[in-house]
Amino acid sequence: MKLVIAGDHSSIDLKQALKEHLEARGHEVTDLGAHTTQSTDYPVWGRLAGEAVVRGDAELGIVICGTGVGISIAANKVRGVRAACVSEPFSAQMSRRHNDANVLALGARVVGVDLAKMIVDSWLDAEFEAGGRHSHRVGLITEIDEEYRAH
Ligand code: RB5
C-alpha cells in the first residue's frame, strides 16, 4: 500500500522507525518531513499529509507530533480527512473498521516505538466495514464537512 508519513520535530525518530517497519512489511512509504529536530509547526505537517491523502498520492497517512493531538486537529481541517488520534491498537483498529479513518495520528511523547508499531499494524490490517450503519455515519461526517465548507 502507498502511505505518506509526516510529523513535527518531535516525530523524527518514531517516524523513521515506523517508515522502516512499514517498508519491511511491503508498504511504499513517502516521508513528507520534517527531516530535522529543529522546532517546527505541527499544522504544516498535518495539512501536508492530509492533502496528499485526499489528492490520492497515498491511500492512507500517518501523522506524528508530541501528543498526536495538534496534528490530528490540523489534518482533520483538510476536507475529506478523517484523522484518528490513538494510543493503543484497539482504537486504531476500530477507527478503520467503523470510522474509515484515512489518517492515523500518534504522539511521539505518548507511545514508545514498539507500541506505535503495534498500533500502526492494527490500523493497516483492519478494513472499513462498508455498508449499513457505518457508511451512514461516515456519510453524516462528510455532510458536516461539506456544509461547513460552503460558509
Ligand atoms: C510541540 O512542542 C508540541 O506542541 C507538538 O508536538 C504537539 O504535541 C501538539 O499537539
Side-chain angles (χ1 to χ4, degrees):
M1 187 186 293
K2 272 182 140 179
L3 302 166
V4 288
I5 193 165
D8 71 3
H9 52 280
S10 69
S11 76
I12 304 300
D13 291 346
L14 179 58
K15 182 158 62 60
Q16 183 59 28
L18 287 179
K19 183 174 189 287
E20 288 168 16
H21 172 71
L22 292 166
E23 285 173 344
R25 288 196 59 189
H27 298 290
E28 187 184 322
V29 185
T30 303
D31 182 351
L32 301 175
H35 299 294
T36 76
T37 55
Q38 188 177 350
S39 185
T40 183
D41 301 321
Y42 61 82
V44 170
W45 308 107
R47 177 181 184 149
L48 205 61
E51 287 175 343
V53 170
V54 298
R55 224 179 15 244
D57 297 353
E59 201 171 320
L60 297 172
I62 297 169
V63 295
I64 307 168
C65 67
T67 58
V69 174
I71 202 160
S72 66
I73 292 172
N76 272 317
K77 298 296 179 191
V78 177
R79 188 182 193 184
V81 167
R82 289 176 300 280
C85 178
V86 305
S87 53
E88 37 72 31
F90 176 73
S91 300
Q93 182 195 98
M94 296 309 285
S95 77
R96 288 288 305 137
R97 289 175 54 190
H98 287 189
N99 316 119
D100 199 15
N102 53 8
V103 173
L104 180 76
L106 296 170
R109 296 176 180 142
V110 179
V111 295
V113 172
D114 288 342
L115 178 56
K117 288 177 186 173
M118 290 175 70
I119 291 169
V120 164
D121 288 348
S122 301
W123 189 61
L124 292 174
D125 290 344
E127 281 183 20
F128 179 49
E129 294 169 15
R133 67 188 191 281
H134 299 305
S135 289
H136 173 68
R137 290 165 185 165
V138 171
L140 293 175
I141 294 172
T142 304
E143 270 182 35
I144 299 169
D145 220 351
E146 286 170 1
E147 183 180 335
Y148 281 85
R149 180 60 45 138
H151 296 315

